Amino acid sequence: MRIAIASGKGGTGKTTLSVNLALKLAESKSTALIDLDVEEPNGSIFLKGKLINSLDAQRMVPVWEQKKCNLCGKCPAHCLYNAVIRLGDYILVMPELCHSCHACSELCPADALPMQASPLGTINHFQENKLDFLESRLNIGLEMASPLINQALAYTDKHFATHEYQILDSPPGTSCSMIAAVQTADYSILVTEPTPFGLYDLTLAVETLRHLSQPFGVVVNRWGIGNNEVIKYLEKENIPLIAKIDHQREIASFYSQGKILYRDFPTVNTALEAIISHLEALK
Amino acid sequence: MKEIVCISGKGGTGKSSVVAALSWIAKDEILVADCDVDAADLHLIFAPEPEKSEEFYSGIKAEIDPSRCIACGICAAKCRFDAIHPVGNVYQVKPLDCEGCGYCFHVCPQNAISLPEQMVGHCFTSNTRFGCKLVHAKLKIGADNSGKLVAKVKNEAKQLAAALEKEYILVDGSPGIGCPVISSLSGANLALLVTEPSLSAQSDLERLWKLIQKFQIPAACIINKADINPNISHEIKKWLKKEGIRMLAELPYDEDFQAAIVNGNSVLEYNYTKWQPVFEKIWQALKETK
Amino acid sequence: MKIAFTSTGDGWDAKVDPRFGRTDYFLIYDDATEAFTLVDNTEIRSVEHGAGPKSAEKIFELAPDVLITGNGPGGNAASILTKMKMKIYVGAGGMSIREAYNAFKNNELQKGV
């Protein structure tokens, strides 16, 4: 079963929950954790396993061949991302802006823009105890999150297909990279906190998942800091409340050091057990 | 006019709380622009009443005219994003998957494909209960923030600030290190970094700084919840010094911040005597940072 | 010598736009003829991504000897301008064109990448 852990806003505890849930599941079931927050992958701060496999993720970008080019001027017009620019007798390609659509290359009458592999990021496969952990890290300055997410998911399909649980740590927000992650999942868990900010961002995430017709439930983190509004909202909207994790200052301190929580904090452990039985009941 | 952009890289460091508190202190001198469009939360505290609302168009998506489509399938074969599929006896575009590259538009033998600009949300200019004006935006589902939208919000803010003779624009910047944050920083006079002492926030801060340096913008930093992990706070302070970033303040971990948000308040309204001096000092320091 | 400013308008009293990619105008001053040429760049407002390269393309066409702006151009624009061997001076954001010109003449502006 593939579970996406997502949240409308950053900083609600999405990565913390993903890491702790995956480690707990791995105690008794075959589990893989896939960090898809490729712009800011922080899962590896909490997990320090053995590196099993490391791949350079690539994508295709055009490369200008001056000798073949007849300077017809079509390629800048074909590129709607402004990634191909003409400066007099030169054609410049800016890989950072390229979406790998192949239009400039395949529509070039002189074959002067062949596509070549270019670095996108890295995908690292770690093992800690029985947990498989996949980290995908986008190169700085690139905005191509979705292709790297798709490559990490392809790796998951190939290597973790028989695992009982695949946990996806999704990108935050409701952007297209978040959508790329959650739409492949069987079920999503939205992590929120009981404050007006948390609630507002949750409603955006709920709208998005409903738009995608994806089933989901909610975990409320830092229970005790805010108010009851988020619970009222879930009841009104008929959204399952899977678990609440109590707020404790000590948890924030543990987290800041990159430590695992559930063995030291009963509230986290109880919440994880509730999540696991919720997931088991979905089967 | 001075443009101060507040950014954090990682979410959850308390950036919006800091912006709200500074806005309360400086309400007569500033205009606020919310460029954290994906998770625009400031309106929950500012209670804005829009006096101007404008539709915002950004990005294009392919659309196939079914009356002209002959189902030759060339568009689907060329699409690298798997966004075009046969439906009945014509082809259709799945808008969420379309990246707007326009390849299909160029190759359709029937000229059945158009590339309309998408209405992705609204841009507002509002009066707030603080007294200062707020320029903000709301996106539709699945629409992404973009450099263009951030530039639009900032342009509106600049024009209005000039008309109202406001000396400062306080910008709540976009998260991450992509195009929206680049556009948030572009044209800024000062970057205000809000971080927290966790390994995650620290690594994001360093990534963000690499970007800011490209723009040669001076920066100042607030470490929020500094006492959660004094060791990392210390590390961050050492790093700031090394990089020449002004250290403005260390704020303690304090439940007042959450309590204020729950009441829809800035932390100053929640406990004025405790927080007014803290943020007054930060604001004065910000004003003199060059 | 032709000097290009990223600007908010025309003439000595216009302000230097601190942004490169999303500047509304380029103002060209030719100190041989003491004449200004204002070049409209407002179409950049409709550009979603890649504003920097687009504006750099325009600078190429205008072919000034020197470019004066506020913040340093972003990575993509910077790589194009480097390729063109453009001389860039930064730190003039918010100055009037006159102030920026004087600062340039007095070697008070910082060299950009």
Side-chain angles (χ1 to χ4, degrees):
Chain A
M1 188 155 58
R2 184 177 285 182
I3 312 295
I5 315 285
S7 69
K9 85 189 261 283
T12 58
K14 179 176 61 62
T15 299
T16 314
L17 181 68
S18 304
V19 169
N20 282 276
L21 177 62
L23 280 172
K24 172 96 180 165
L25 280 167
E27 288 175 356
S28 56
K29 298 170 176 65
S30 57
T31 304
L33 170 65
I34 299 98
D35 188 349
L36 296 177
D37 192 353
V38 297
E39 279 194 52
E40 275 149 12
N42 287 329
S44 58
I45 288 173
F46 303 91
L47 292 167
K48 290 154 193 85
K50 184 176 149 215
L51 186 64
I52 301 288
N53 195 1
S54 179
L55 300 172
D56 288 325
Q58 296 179 323
R59 63 187 181 124
M60 302 304 281
V61 296
V63 177
W64 183 53
E65 288 192 1
Q66 188 170 13
K67 278 183 204 148
K68 288 186 182 168
C69 180
N70 59 18
L71 294 168
C72 69
K74 284 189 176 139
C75 49
H78 284 145
C79 180
L80 302 186
Y81 306 115
N82 294 318
V84 184
I85 296 277
R86 179 179 172 174
L87 298 177
D89 296 345
Y90 280 85
I91 300 292
L92 270 182
V93 177
M94 263 139 307
E96 288 87 351
L97 294 171
C98 173
H99 287 228
S100 307
C101 75
H102 290 59
C104 66
S105 177
E106 293 175 8
L107 295 173
C108 172
D111 282 328
L113 285 163
M115 299 298 280
Q116 275 183 15
S118 147
L120 178 63
T122 47
I123 295 178
N124 289 320
H125 176 183
F126 299 93
Q127 247 169 18
E128 171 158 323
N129 294 325
K130 282 181 285 172
L131 177 67
D132 282 297
F133 169 51
L134 198 68
E135 179 203 66
S136 32
R137 185 174 288 269
L138 192 66
N139 287 353
I140 285 195
L142 289 181
E143 289 168 41
M144 310 295 123
S146 298
L148 184 57
I149 288 172
N150 290 332
Q151 290 185 32
L153 289 171
Y155 189 97
T156 305
D157 287 337
K158 198 169 159 200
H159 297 274
F160 310 138
T162 58
H163 282 46
E164 219 171 320
Y165 281 101
Q166 301 164 0
I167 306 295
L168 310 181
D169 184 0
S170 313
T174 54
S175 61
C176 53
S177 49
M178 178 264 200
I179 288 171
V182 299
Q183 68 183 359
T184 71
D186 299 306
Y187 192 76
S188 295
I189 296 175
L190 296 175
V191 187
T192 188
E193 50 184 39
T195 65
F197 285 3
L199 175 56
Y200 177 72
D201 295 329
L202 175 67
T203 61
L204 299 181
V206 165
E207 272 182 65
T208 307
L209 287 177
R210 285 188 171 157
H211 188 79
L212 297 169
S213 306
Q214 285 279 324
F216 62 95
V218 167
V219 169
V220 178
N221 195 13
R222 305 197 184 110
W223 178 246
I225 58 169
N227 57 19
N228 206 23
E229 292 300 315
V230 68
I231 308 293
K232 285 192 206 152
Y233 166 79
L234 296 177
E235 278 167 7
K236 194 180 107 223
E237 294 289 325
N238 250 324
I239 297 167
L241 169 62
I242 307 170
K244 289 186 281 199
I245 301 172
D246 290 333
H247 169 67
Q248 280 169 265
R249 193 191 142 131
E250 269 292 293
I251 292 182
S253 166
F254 253 62
Y255 162 84
S256 73
Q257 300 164 53
K259 284 189 188 165
I260 299 303
L261 303 173
Y262 72 95
R263 296 183 199 108
D264 292 276
F265 296 95
T267 179
V268 178
N269 195 46
T270 312
L272 292 182
E273 279 167 0
I275 294 167
I276 293 168
S277 59
H278 183 84
L279 295 177
E280 288 286 311
L282 292 171
K283 280 184 178 168
Chain B
M1 195 193 305
K2 194 168 164 183
E3 191 179 312
I4 302 171
V5 179
C6 189
I7 39 178
S8 63
K10 178 186 179 300
T13 61
K15 174 170 66 74
S16 296
S17 292
V18 168
V19 171
L22 290 173
S23 303
W24 181 257
I25 288 276
K27 52 187 179 281
D28 299 327
E29 299 167 85
I30 60 165
L31 187 142
V32 182
D34 191 352
C35 293
D36 188 356
V37 181
D38 292 314
D41 287 333
L42 279 183
H43 67 276
L44 298 169
I45 293 176
F46 281 77
E49 282 173 19
E51 57 176 13
K52 187 177 143 201
S53 155
E54 212 181 311
E55 284 184 347
F56 181 74
Y57 288 81
S58 181
I60 50 173
K61 292 206 189 281
E63 247 175 55
I64 302 175
D65 178 352
S67 70
R68 295 169 98 169
C69 176
I70 54 165
C72 66
I74 293 174
C75 53
K78 294 295 181 190
C79 178
R80 297 278 161 175
F81 309 106
D82 197 23
I84 306 180
H85 296 274
V87 176
N89 45 18
V90 292
Y91 279 77
Q92 269 182 20
V93 179
K94 278 164 72 188
L96 277 178
D97 291 329
C98 175
E99 298 230 355
C101 72
Y103 196 171
C104 57
F105 164 83
H106 294 301
V107 296
C108 176
Q110 292 297 105
N111 290 326
I113 299 178
S114 58
L115 300 170
E117 271 217 305
Q118 302 293 301
M119 205 280 278
V120 295
H122 289 83
C123 180
F124 305 101
T125 303
S126 301
N127 291 307
T128 68
R129 61 183 191 86
F130 283 24
C132 56
K133 303 255 182 193
L134 176 70
V135 181
H136 53 128
K138 180 159 184 353
L139 287 172
K140 297 205 296 194
I141 291 174
D144 278 355
N145 194 3
S146 65
K148 183 182 169 187
L149 178 53
V150 169
K152 165 91 183 159
V153 169
K154 292 212 322 178
N155 266 339
E156 290 285 319
K158 256 186 206 165
Q159 279 173 19
L160 191 61
L164 297 171
E165 297 181 351
K166 296 292 174 193
E167 252 181 278
Y168 299 91
I169 298 176
L170 189 58
V171 180
D172 192 0
S174 317
I177 50 169
C179 188
V181 71
I182 290 173
S183 193
S184 302
L185 287 167
S186 176
N189 300 91
L190 180 66
L192 171 59
L193 306 165
V194 179
T195 191
E196 62 179 19
S198 70
L199 293 170
S200 315
Q202 192 184 5
S203 93
D204 292 350
L205 183 67
E206 286 170 19
R207 277 163 82 91
L208 191 56
W209 176 238
K210 285 192 187 146
L211 187 66
I212 296 171
Q213 280 174 306
K214 281 193 184 164
F215 286 94
Q216 295 168 297
I217 299 170
C221 184
I222 293 175
I223 304 178
N224 196 11
K225 311 172 205 170
D227 48 345
I228 283 283
N229 191 323
N231 289 338
I232 299 181
S233 286
H234 183 70
E235 287 295 315
I236 293 177
K237 275 190 284 182
K238 263 187 7 202
W239 178 81
L240 292 173
K241 199 167 177 192
K242 189 182 96 211
E243 299 291 334
I245 303 169
R246 181 168 179 185
M247 169 74 199
L248 279 183
E250 285 178 82
L251 297 176
Y253 176 89
D254 197 306
E255 317 239 322
D256 281 5
F257 283 91
Q258 292 301 346
I261 291 171
V262 168
N263 292 338
N265 283 337
S266 78
V267 74
L268 269 88
E269 295 165 278
Y270 187 77
N271 188 338
Y272 187 80
T273 41
K274 182 163 157 197
W275 294 108
Q276 195 277 341
V278 176
F279 282 97
E280 180 67 40
K281 209 173 137 200
I282 294 174
W283 177 242
Q284 293 308 331
L286 266 180
K287 279 166 67 166
E288 67 199 32
T289 304
K290 284 197 181 93
Chain C
M1 184 168 58
K2 271 166 75 182
I3 304 167
F5 299 88
T6 55
S7 89
T8 59
D10 202 357
W12 286 118
D13 295 325
K15 291 260 191 292
V16 174
D17 194 318
R19 303 167 301 174
F20 173 74
R22 292 194 179 274
T23 184
D24 278 341
Y25 300 96
F26 289 108
L27 183 60
I28 315 288
Y29 179 68
D30 189 334
D31 59 4
T33 60
E34 298 188 0
F36 282 113
T37 316
L38 185 67
V39 181
D40 192 333
N41 195 44
T42 46
E43 82 243 13
I44 209 72
R45 292 184 185 180
S46 67
V47 171
E48 204 177 342
H49 297 285
K54 208 74 197 151
S55 289
E57 197 177 35
K58 196 154 230 164
I59 281 293
F60 179 85
E61 288 159 18
L62 298 170
D65 300 292
V66 171
L67 169 67
I68 295 175
T69 183
N71 302 142
N76 287 310
S79 65
I80 298 174
L81 293 165
T82 310
K83 205 140 217 150
M84 285 156 48
K85 301 197 169 65
M86 179 56 57
K87 285 192 189 110
I88 309 168
Y89 291 87
V90 299
M95 288 183 188
S96 69
I97 299 294
R98 190 190 309 277
E99 287 162 351
Y101 177 74
N102 289 336
F104 165 67
K105 281 284 167 195
N106 297 333
N107 275 325
E108 288 164 10
L109 292 180
Q110 210 183 326
K111 263 207 159 167
V113 243

